[in-house]
Amino acid sequence: MSHELQKSLSNRHLQLIAIGGAIGTGLFMGSGKTISLAGPSILFIYMIIGLMVFFVMRALGELLLSNLEYKSFIDFTTDLIGPWAGYFVGWTYWLCWISIGIADLSAIINYLQFFNNGVAFSPAESALICATSIFFIMGLNLVTVKLFGEMEFWFALVKIIAIVVLILVGLWMVFTGFTSSAGEVASFTHLWQNGGWFPTGVDGFLAGFQIAIFAFVGVELVGTTAAETQDPETNLPKAVNSIPIRIIIFYVFALCIVMAVTPWNKIDPTISPFVSLFSQAGIAAAAIIMNLVVLSSVMSSMNSGVFSTSRMLFGLSKEGQGPKLFGRLNNRHVPANALYFSALCLLGGAALQYFVPNTVEAFTLATTLSTILFICVWLMIIWSYMIYYKTRPQLHQASQFKLPGGLLTCWITVIFFVGMVYVLSLQPDTLRALQVSPIWFLILLIGYFFRTKE
């Protein structure tokens, strides 16, 4: 039996995994609230965050390609910063996806209620739905890596088609002078005629970052799939370099169309603007279609989460930072034990649905906590790059996929993400998650102390 991960993912899989990572549930369901907070300035918010995430991805890409022995960011943080850094990044990234997975379980229940005539499920039914979802995703991941890539390909394709159709329908409404039932004529002038580009001021602009940044978590999933990708020297740069185009099309252009059809101050923050636009266009099944799209988006998120957590545990085991049993592969070259452990932790989330039926606050806490932890992971990638840049100049010079701007870009990115941590402290609900996050770092410290004492 092979003890190494197999390179089973093609360029087609990697490209769609990168797109799937860049289009989150936050875009479909969270964009209404973000628009209500920031107005048209949300377009600048997505472009700014997208640029900073692109810098992180370019740094990640250069590091992974500088040494093809690196399988994920655990490997290069361990090599460049030290064993503690690999331990911190690996376990933190694992918790990021576990917390997102638990939040996704809450979302699945909420979206399925639509098909239950809006009637809330009982705690037992909610727990059963969660357990079924977990076993389904675990089953997909247990078979082969290629099946994971294939499922993610189709999950991402559903999201892409939904956004492309929205853009085309929205453009048709703008160019035909569509008038809503409220008497609003679709026009791009709505973007600046209702209080300008920054109608809610600096406070609203900063508040928009809090929600928008969560929409980008998971974009670094390309880095965790690198070890199982055919021809990473060609495919990884393609996937990373296409991120800005995707952000412009899927975030900026889509929301530009949404706000052209309906003025930003008339958008209901409690309803997905995607559903609203399709409904206005007279598509009667809009709510059903979008609920199915969002369900596929959540399943895509869980699929990615289970995949990445199992690979992180596999990498931690190989580095001596986690139990040895997580480093064993089954006869299909899948880290099955790591998968079982992650699924078991997600089942804890299913149990939570039974004991805490009202999960709205838990959902906010989980998503904000994962955002904070993702920022920590992104900062560790940049730190690793700064050390690589200074200590291994020959590798940097030889690189065919350099981070534009070098150290200056690194410092700009660090300042931005540290500023984002401050922004998260400005609202009571995100502040609670910020206050809870040090508990995880304390657990990690205790775990590392006992690990080194063995």
Side-chain angles (χ1 to χ4, degrees):
M1 188 189 297
S2 170
H3 296 290
E4 295 297 327
L5 298 171
Q6 301 298 295
K7 296 183 182 294
S8 305
L9 297 177
S10 65
N11 178 51
R12 173 175 68 93
H13 294 131
L14 191 68
Q15 293 293 331
L16 268 291
I17 287 168
I19 293 176
I23 307 171
T25 312
L27 175 63
F28 292 112
M29 300 308 293
S31 51
K33 185 178 178 182
T34 320
I35 290 169
S36 70
L37 288 170
S41 68
I42 187 62
L43 303 178
F44 302 111
I45 290 170
Y46 277 121
M47 284 191 279
I48 293 167
I49 300 173
L51 179 64
M52 296 301 156
V53 169
F54 174 63
F55 288 153
V56 172
M57 291 302 299
R58 282 298 296 255
L60 174 66
E62 184 178 340
L63 285 168
L64 287 172
L65 294 177
S66 71
N67 181 353
L68 293 180
E69 293 300 311
Y70 292 152
K71 304 301 182 188
S72 71
F73 25 86
I74 292 178
D75 297 332
F76 63 68
T77 48
T78 299
D79 184 31
L80 293 162
I81 303 176
W84 72 267
Y87 175 87
F88 173 84
V89 165
W91 283 107
T92 298
Y93 194 67
W94 173 83
L95 182 66
C96 285
W97 279 106
I98 291 296
S99 60
I100 287 177
I102 291 171
D104 286 339
L105 293 173
S106 302
I108 288 170
I109 291 166
N110 287 334
Y111 300 142
L112 283 177
Q113 282 175 7
F114 172 83
F115 299 101
N116 195 39
N117 297 319
V119 178
F121 294 108
S122 70
E125 288 171 333
S126 297
L128 184 62
I129 289 168
C130 291
T132 304
S133 303
I134 292 164
F135 283 120
F136 172 68
I137 294 295
M138 187 177 73
L140 289 179
N141 277 268
L142 271 175
V143 182
T144 62
V145 174
K146 195 163 186 177
L147 182 60
F148 157 77
E150 204 61 42
M151 289 303 298
E152 198 54 33
F153 175 88
W154 291 106
F155 279 144
L157 202 59
V158 168
K159 292 189 274 190
I160 292 165
I161 291 169
I163 294 173
V164 169
V165 170
L166 172 122
I167 289 170
L168 293 174
V169 170
L171 284 172
W172 170 79
M173 294 169 83
V174 169
F175 290 124
T176 58
F178 176 86
T179 305
S180 70
S181 56
E184 297 288 351
V185 179
S187 169
F188 285 115
T189 59
H190 291 321
L191 293 170
W192 58 85
Q193 279 189 344
N194 297 284
W197 289 100
F198 298 87
T200 56
V202 175
D203 289 346
F205 184 62
L206 291 178
F209 278 96
Q210 295 174 331
I211 303 169
I213 199 165
F214 176 69
F216 287 87
V217 301
V219 73
E220 72 301 307
L221 185 64
V222 173
T224 66
T225 57
E228 294 168 88
T229 305
Q230 301 160 3
D231 191 15
E233 295 98 328
T234 303
N235 293 333
L236 190 60
K238 277 184 186 176
V240 171
N241 282 336
S242 57
I243 287 171
I245 303 299
R246 288 170 187 148
I247 288 165
I248 289 170
I249 294 172
F250 297 127
Y251 284 86
V252 178
F253 199 29
L255 293 182
C256 184
I257 294 292
V258 164
M259 289 184 287
V261 172
T262 307
W264 74 270
N265 53 347
K266 302 289 175 64
I267 290 173
D268 187 341
T270 62
I271 299 173
S272 169
F274 285 63
V275 174
S276 178
L277 187 144
F278 286 135
S279 296
Q280 286 187 56
I283 301 173
I288 295 172
I289 294 167
M290 283 314 301
N291 270 280
L292 289 171
V293 168
V294 174
L295 266 173
S296 76
S297 179
V298 175
M299 294 305 286
S300 166
S301 175
M302 280 194 67
N303 194 33
S304 299
V306 168
F307 175 90
S308 57
T309 54
S310 63
R311 269 52 182 184
M312 281 295 126
L313 293 179
F314 177 81
L316 285 163
S317 176
K318 288 298 182 186
E319 292 289 344
Q321 307 278 29
K324 288 183 180 178
L325 62 92
F326 293 158
R328 295 175 192 157
L329 300 177
N330 65 12
N331 56 7
R332 296 185 181 91
H333 311 290
V334 172
N337 292 332
L339 265 172
Y340 295 143
F341 180 72
S342 291
L344 192 64
C345 293
L346 284 173
L347 280 171
L352 186 69
Q353 305 299 328
Y354 186 85
F355 294 109
V356 189
N358 185 4
T359 55
V360 175
E361 190 173 342
F363 179 84
T364 304
L365 188 67
T367 52
T368 309
L369 178 63
S370 66
T371 301
I372 294 162
L373 297 178
F374 268 108
I375 288 174
C376 291
V377 171
W378 293 339
L379 288 173
M380 292 294 281
I381 291 170
I382 293 296
W383 186 9
S384 299
Y385 184 87
M386 293 167 89
I387 293 173
Y388 152 87
Y389 186 91
K390 290 178 180 176
T391 61
R392 301 179 189 181
Q394 70 286 357
L395 286 177
H396 173 66
Q397 289 302 320
S399 175
Q400 300 297 308
F401 191 59
K402 293 183 177 71
L403 167 67
L407 287 183
L408 176 62
T409 301
C410 289
W411 280 113
I412 291 170
T413 309
V414 168
I415 291 166
F416 173 78
F417 282 119
V418 170
M420 283 301 97
V421 174
Y422 167 72
V423 168
L424 288 169
S425 71
L426 299 178
Q427 294 292 328
D429 51 353
T430 51
L431 177 61
R432 277 196 294 275
L434 200 60
Q435 291 167 336
V436 167
S437 58
I439 297 172
W440 171 246
F441 302 133
L442 183 62
I443 292 169
L444 276 184
L445 185 65
I446 294 168
Y448 188 74
F449 175 78
F450 282 107
R451 184 205 64 84
T452 54
K453 291 293 181 183
E454 289 177 0

